[in-house]
Amino acid sequence: LPFFRRYIITTIWFLLGIFSLVFIIDFSEMSNRVGSLPGYTLSTGLLVTTLRIPTILMQTIPFIALFAGMAALISLNRRYELVVTRAAGISVWQFLRPFVIGAFLFGVLAVLTLSPLAAWGSKKAQEFEASWGATNATRAENAIPWLRQIYGKDEAIIGAKAVLDNGTRLLNVSVLHFDSDSRIVLRQDADSATLEDGYWLLKNVHETRSGELPVRLDEVQLRTNLKREFVQESLEKPESIAFFDLRRKIEAARSFGFPTNAMETQFHSMLSLPLLLVAMTLIAACVSLKFSRFNQSRAVILGGILAGFLLYVVSVVFTAFGNVGFIPPVLAAWVPVVVAMF
């Protein structure tokens, strides 16, 4: 119990430290990026940064487990507590059990609480950024989505730089209309597009036709046969879906004929996260159990950090392969974790 308590306290301190560091960096970066917008205020900037923090923390959870395990074990070594424990006849696997259990519970807590919070906070943060009056406020990692629709004789491709409300509201929209020979006959650029019942409602539209002057319109209705569920499944990112909703989203995507590799990989990655943290803790134990009263070997500690970083990189690479279907999602999520634990 004392070892388990020590691990939990150390993990909480590392979590608070990473939270503070990420908060300062993200707030500074966001202030430089959107601070000049008319709708931006200090209070809303702090709120948006807070909403974004869980998403960023999910990426740092494995390293928090690694560093917390190393710090707790090195601290126990310096206080002779591990020496006394071994002298009492307790094996390494016995006194490592509290650390392994703590890492597993930390992973379960992250999946059940931090993941849904990250999905919700990410959507709310995008809504705030959009309300500040700039459609380019969204981050560069948000790839521009494209939708193709055919309604009667009209064939159009719809692109947007930002997606809100699960794909039913688009910002900074471009619509390209094609004729039967696949030539562009009309381009519509709009500030926003909202999917209504049977049509897209485009606002503040600039229409451009070949050989004609551009025309500005306040609103345009673009007829469509796309359903809300179809648009949501085609535009929603796996990272923005809460863990509890992933299975339902996977089944819905299959019903529309969409590939589900990315969502399945995300689902299994969430399932394997607790064991990934256990693997990180075991790596920490490998480089922290040798007794040293004053200074632990820097080379050994550096080796542990590099090993944990390598495991994380391999997991990310396997996840990328699983997202595009090169390998099955189950293998993409579980093979790096199982191999590392062995």
Side-chain angles (χ1 to χ4, degrees):
L1 186 60
F3 286 1
F4 180 79
R5 183 166 56 247
R6 178 70 60 83
Y7 176 81
I8 294 300
I9 293 175
T10 305
T11 301
I12 292 175
W13 278 112
F14 268 96
L15 193 61
L16 292 176
I18 295 297
F19 176 90
S20 303
L21 181 63
V22 170
F23 187 93
I24 294 173
I25 294 175
D26 189 73
F27 177 73
S28 300
E29 189 275 336
M30 186 185 64
S31 298
N32 293 331
R33 181 166 52 89
V34 299
S36 59
L37 297 179
Y40 175 85
T41 62
L42 179 62
S43 59
T44 55
L46 292 172
L47 177 59
V48 169
T49 301
T50 304
L51 292 172
R52 288 178 46 82
I53 290 300
T55 303
I56 304 175
L57 281 182
M58 282 298 297
Q59 308 300 319
T60 64
I61 289 297
F63 294 102
I64 292 176
L66 175 67
F67 294 142
M70 293 176 61
L73 289 170
I74 290 175
S75 175
L76 291 173
N77 243 337
R78 290 183 176 180
R79 297 170 181 267
Y80 294 103
E81 294 183 55
L82 295 186
V83 176
V84 174
T85 302
R86 286 181 172 182
I90 299 176
S91 69
V92 172
W93 291 109
Q94 286 177 304
F95 68 72
L96 276 183
R97 193 177 302 160
F99 296 92
V100 171
I101 294 175
F104 185 84
L105 294 178
F106 181 36
V108 172
L109 189 64
V111 171
L112 297 182
T113 60
L114 195 58
S115 173
L117 190 61
W120 176 82
S122 178
K123 294 177 182 178
K124 291 297 181 182
Q126 286 189 11
E127 292 178 3
F128 270 105
E129 291 192 33
S131 69
W132 291 338
T135 56
N136 61 351
T138 53
R139 291 180 172 269
E141 71 249 22
N142 292 334
I144 297 177
W146 295 96
L147 284 172
R148 180 174 179 266
Q149 71 169 36
I150 299 176
Y151 187 84
K153 296 182 179 180
D154 180 55
E155 179 180 350
I157 294 180
I158 305 172
K161 289 188 177 181
V163 179
L164 300 177
D165 298 336
N166 296 327
T168 58
R169 184 171 169 232
L170 310 178
L171 301 180
N172 201 352
V173 182
S174 296
V175 184
L176 305 178
H177 297 262
F178 298 86
D179 60 14
S180 57
D181 296 326
S182 299
R183 293 176 299 187
I184 299 177
V185 295
L186 171 65
R187 171 169 177 158
Q188 296 173 309
D189 296 288
D191 288 348
S192 65
T194 305
L195 182 59
E196 305 290 349
D197 188 13
Y199 64 91
W200 289 97
L201 181 60
L202 308 180
K203 292 189 176 182
N204 193 17
V205 186
H206 290 264
E207 292 189 347
T208 305
R209 296 180 185 271
S210 178
E212 299 181 10
L213 292 176
V215 178
R216 183 187 176 280
L217 301 171
D218 292 332
E219 289 186 356
V220 173
Q221 291 186 7
L222 175 62
R223 305 301 299 179
T224 182
N225 52 8
L226 297 178
K227 302 298 182 182
R228 287 177 175 267
E229 296 79 8
F230 180 89
V231 175
Q232 289 173 0
E233 298 303 327
S234 61
L235 295 182
E236 201 164 17
K237 294 183 178 181
E239 297 82 6
S240 64
I241 303 174
F243 173 73
F244 300 106
D245 296 330
L246 274 171
R247 293 300 300 177
R248 180 175 57 84
K249 291 289 185 180
I250 291 172
E251 295 300 327
R254 285 175 179 169
S255 67
F256 286 111
F258 287 115
T260 59
N261 294 321
M263 284 189 283
E264 290 186 57
T265 302
Q266 177 71 6
F267 177 73
H268 287 286
S269 296
M270 290 291 99
L271 287 181
S272 64
L273 181 62
L275 292 184
L276 176 62
L277 302 193
V278 171
M280 287 291 189
T281 303
L282 295 179
I283 291 175
C286 290
V287 300
S288 306
L289 290 182
K290 184 179 179 181
F291 173 71
S292 177
R293 178 64 180 88
F294 296 103
N295 293 316
Q296 206 77 9
S297 173
R298 296 179 180 177
V300 174
I301 294 177
L302 180 60
I305 296 175
L306 291 178
F309 180 75
L310 180 62
L311 172 58
Y312 180 78
V313 170
V314 170
S315 300
V316 171
V317 171
F318 269 68
T319 299
F321 286 158
N323 288 339
V324 297
F326 284 169
I327 56 178
V330 176
L331 296 181
W334 288 98
V335 165
V337 176
V338 174
V339 171
M341 290 187 66
F342 284 158

